[in-house]
């Protein structure tokens, strides 16, 4: 048994969490992965996923480490909600110390290697944050259906709405309609209503996959949705980039779709991500230094 | 104890049900009211509400009637969904016969006294139907958030989205923003997200009440939402009125808002409702005649 200090960086979202085990000097020892870790949606599931992914990383590292030697640096979806943050901290997970931040902040710190900068995330959900003068300013990310415009969940919902209009004769029974009906195995508006009854963000976002080939072929309906989403992301970018030298990283599966259409002023600021969200979470914990 | 046949007409929705007790010749004997009766949302609650309202009507009629003498003519929200329809019929409620239809069909039959005609409903939700050649053709009414455009729930959601944009600096902190924040007692985007977490259609529709004074004052944000909703209702009206002599009735708390802005071609078709949805449910059951 050694008595060294270790760090686990966590990137936890609605469908899975990834962890990274580092030595105190920042050397990567192992990685691990497990299930969902959204503290707002399910605290117990998030804790179980973190412990499971941590155990996998320790095993993969083939070192004799206990969690009491580890500083947990967790960037988790939902941790921006004060009540969810407090609830996870109250669990007193068996680590030397727990430094909990949102997945968005971890992603931003990773993208800019701990320096000032902004990120726009557009995947299942959408959100943005700016890190400057040692603090974050968040935008969007309010969840579905009240927020997250331009996201995969939002795009999927637009396609579902369009398909219901088509069943009612208020929109054409076009390629978008066919793709949605095939994905949901629906032959009627009632089928769609029943299928979508218990849908969450992930379910709506899953509808986007069969729509992307239509978008690439120039389908006007999907292009209309994307233009609407683009308008939001452009405004979000204009708002988050409040100083002339602020760099921007785009994160998430749908940013490739929107990237070419953003204004040149925004595109000029875009840089590739330097580090992962897991590394970002560790950087922020080390900056805070509250584990010593 | 008499051995006459009686009819109970029910108009059951998401927040309450109203019943009407009639003798076989159509004489009104008494009315009753109870809680929610949406068979899709809660079958047991719907059954309990119907039995409770029926008992109240029998008591108010001061007649010695058992439910075995009564034909239940129920127009219930959710009864258009085949699985919910079957589930209620399988309950074998203790009536002489149960004739179950959707609340929309009952409203349409009542509005046109059993004759051909169309209705557009716009209250908490939105939907439309056309009755012609002995059968109904439905439009909209797919529920929230995938359908029900122009409805109270939809309007409330637009206002919530606007308020979140305002907190993010992407929309002005205007009168709509202030009204939503006051209604939800919210001081931050996080407050709104937490308040709306478990919201259903009724909760979103409740936001509309404090917005109506702004609309009447000419507030451009609310007017923008209403114009968007109007576009949908106008297309719905154009679709539902498929023959030159089809009459239209407007039903629901928000139709007054949209009525003056509909096209003249649509306004020329609008007539006042002749009978209530409860009476419409009884009319349809008598037309079907399957209780003899």
């Amino acid at each position: 048994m050694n008595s060294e200090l270790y760090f686990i960086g966590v990137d936890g979202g609605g469908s899975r969490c990834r962890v990274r085990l580092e030595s105190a000097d920042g050397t990567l020892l192992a990685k691990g992965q497990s299930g969902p870790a959204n503290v707002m949606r399910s605290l117990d599931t998030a804790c179980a996923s973190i412990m499971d992914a941590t155990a996998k990383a320790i095993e993969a590292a083939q070192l004799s480490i206990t969690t009491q030697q580890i500083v947990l640096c967790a960037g988790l979806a939902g941790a921006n909600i004060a009540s969810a943050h407090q609830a996870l901290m109250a669990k007193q997970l068996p680590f030397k110390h727990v430094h909990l931040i949102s997945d968005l902040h971890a992603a931003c710190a990773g993208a800019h290697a701990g320096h000032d900068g902004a990120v726009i995330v557009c995947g299942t959900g959408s959100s943005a944050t700016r890190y400057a003068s040692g603090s974050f300013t968040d935008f969007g990310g309010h969840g579905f259906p009240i927020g997250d415009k331009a996201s995969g969940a939002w795009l999927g919902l637009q396609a579902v709405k369009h398909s219901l209009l088509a069943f009612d004769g208020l929109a054409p029974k076009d390629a978008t309609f066919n793709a949605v009906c095939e994905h949901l195995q629906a032959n009627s508006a009632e089928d769609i209503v029943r299928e979508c009854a218990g849908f969450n963000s992930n379910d709506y976002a899953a509808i986007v996959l069969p729509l992307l080939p239509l978008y690439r072929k120039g389908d006007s309906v999907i292009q209309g949705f994307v233009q609407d989403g683009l308008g939001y992301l452009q405004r979000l970018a204009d708002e988050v980039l409040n100083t002339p030298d602020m760099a921007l990283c785009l994160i998430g599966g749908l940013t490739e779709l929107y990237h070419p259409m953003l204004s040149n002023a925004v595109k000029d600021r875009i840089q590739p991500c330097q580090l992962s969200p897991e590394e970002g979470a560790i950087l922020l914990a080390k900056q805070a230094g509250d584990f010593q």
Side-chain angles (χ1 to χ4, degrees), chain A:
Chain A
M1 174 77 70
N2 70 63
S3 61
E4 294 291 312
L5 184 65
Y6 297 90
F7 291 83
I8 284 269
V10 185
D11 178 32
S15 51
R16 64 163 171 249
C17 74
R18 290 196 179 94
V19 308
R20 174 187 178 92
L21 176 63
E22 288 186 4
S23 60
D25 66 0
T27 306
L28 171 63
L29 300 174
K31 294 182 177 182
Q33 187 169 316
S34 186
N38 181 318
V39 285
M40 188 67 183
R41 207 176 286 166
S42 171
L43 181 63
D44 290 337
T45 302
C47 292
S49 296
I50 290 165
M51 297 314 295
D52 179 50
T54 297
K56 285 175 179 167
I58 291 174
E59 195 186 333
Q62 295 185 296
L63 288 171
S64 174
I65 306 173
T66 71
T67 56
Q68 290 297 343
Q69 292 171 266
I70 298 176
V71 176
L72 180 76
C73 317
L76 305 183
N80 54 311
I81 305 293
S83 56
H85 191 287
Q86 288 159 11
L88 185 114
M89 294 309 288
K91 282 277 179 183
Q92 299 192 302
L93 294 176
F95 293 91
K96 176 176 168 63
H97 179 77
V98 175
H99 188 77
L100 175 62
I101 53 172
S102 72
D103 55 341
L104 182 61
H105 293 183
C108 186
H112 299 285
H115 300 295
D116 287 4
V119 294
I120 292 180
V121 180
C122 189
T124 301
S126 71
S127 57
T129 194
R130 174 176 66 226
Y131 183 68
S133 311
S135 72
F136 289 96
T137 308
D138 294 347
F139 302 85
H142 306 305
F144 189 71
I146 58 177
D148 288 26
K149 190 160 181 178
S151 69
W154 177 86
L155 273 175
L157 178 61
Q158 304 317 303
V160 168
K161 286 179 174 178
H162 174 80
S163 305
L164 287 172
L165 291 176
F167 273 121
D168 284 338
L170 304 175
K173 289 191 172 175
D174 52 18
T176 300
F177 168 82
N178 289 330
V180 170
C181 288
E182 196 182 334
H183 179 80
L184 298 178
Q185 299 191 299
N187 294 307
S188 65
E190 190 184 325
D191 285 349
I192 291 185
V193 171
R194 197 183 47 243
E195 277 301 306
C196 295
F199 265 24
N200 62 24
S201 306
N202 293 325
D203 300 316
Y204 280 110
I207 299 171
V208 174
L209 211 60
L211 300 179
L212 291 177
L214 299 180
Y215 176 74
R216 285 187 217 107
K217 278 186 210 162
D219 182 275
S220 63
V221 172
I222 309 289
Q223 288 197 326
F225 299 155
V226 171
Q227 282 298 322
D228 191 8
L230 173 68
Y232 173 72
L233 289 187
Q234 178 66 48
R235 281 192 296 151
L236 201 58
D238 292 340
E239 192 68 22
V240 77
L241 296 171
N242 68 332
T243 61
D245 58 347
M246 181 70 59
L248 174 67
C249 293
L250 301 182
I251 298 174
L254 282 178
T255 51
E256 277 178 51
L257 194 73
Y258 294 107
H259 186 164
M261 294 178 288
L262 289 165
S263 70
N264 287 331
V266 169
K267 279 195 274 193
D268 288 347
R269 309 285 193 90
I270 295 175
Q271 297 179 357
C273 292
Q274 296 181 54
L275 303 173
S276 68
E278 302 92 293
E279 290 169 288
I282 294 174
L283 274 177
L284 287 175
K286 285 185 174 174
Q287 277 182 14
D290 48 6
F291 50 84
Q292 269 127 4

